[in-house]
Amino acid sequence: MNWIIRLSEQKDFPQLRTIENQIWHLGNTPHVTTYETVADYQKHYSAGSQLVALAANSQEIAGFLGFHPPTNLTTHQKVWEVDVGVHPAFQGKGVGTALLTAIKALAVKQGIHKLSLRVLSTNPAAIHLYQKNGFQVEGRLKDEFWIEGQFIDDLLMAYFLD
């Protein structure tokens, strides 16, 4: 399937909020956040802070990729931390790969050196997606989270652009 990838716009927030509220669970995040309203969602994200993937010939958002420096330090200006979410109906259809390909191109244009992310060790589908797209494990925070009665490792992954 072909995907149209573009920067997020304010008109996307209702769909993005819905996707966010559907996809997160304790198997893929250490803390499930839900957004009660679109205004609540907008407090955390601004237009242009995410890439969105639209199904071709549709206005339906299939997935998103958020990106931002890990901190506000000027010394972090060449690194973007990314997070990916795909609507359940579109998982396994290339949305994640399309978004990761697009963020790499945007990062190169913006002079970014490194893309980084964190993923729970209990999320093999996401780990596979990231590895398939060139991300490598940089580190493992052993027993970082206590989730549903067990310790879970947090993997630190990265992709270098130059």
Side-chain angles (χ1 to χ4, degrees), residues 136-153:
Q136 297 178 342
V137 175
E138 282 194 307
R140 176 184 290 263
L141 301 176
K142 291 191 164 288
D143 296 347
E144 184 71 3
F145 300 109
W146 176 254
I147 300 174
E148 296 183 325
Q150 65 178 340
F151 286 106
I152 307 295
D153 295 353

Side-chain angles (χ1 to χ4, degrees), residues 10 13 17 35 37-47:
Q10 190 164 349
F13 290 167
R17 175 189 159 261
Y35 300 96
T37 65
V38 173
D40 187 31
Y41 183 83
Q42 193 170 347
K43 290 176 190 172
H44 298 277
Y45 300 98
S46 59

Side-chain angles (χ1 to χ4, degrees), residues 41-62:
Y41 183 83
Q42 193 170 347
K43 290 176 190 172
H44 298 277
Y45 300 98
S46 59
S49 67
Q50 298 162 297
L51 292 177
V52 295
L54 300 157
N57 303 321
S58 171
Q59 292 302 310
E60 184 176 7
I61 296 175

Side-chain angles (χ1 to χ4, degrees), residues 20 40 49 73 95 114 128 131-132 150 152 160-161:
E20 289 259 17
D40 187 31
S49 67
L73 298 173
V95 177
K114 175 183 173 181
H128 176 74
Q131 289 177 328
K132 181 177 82 171
Q150 65 178 340
I152 307 295
F160 292 89
L161 295 149

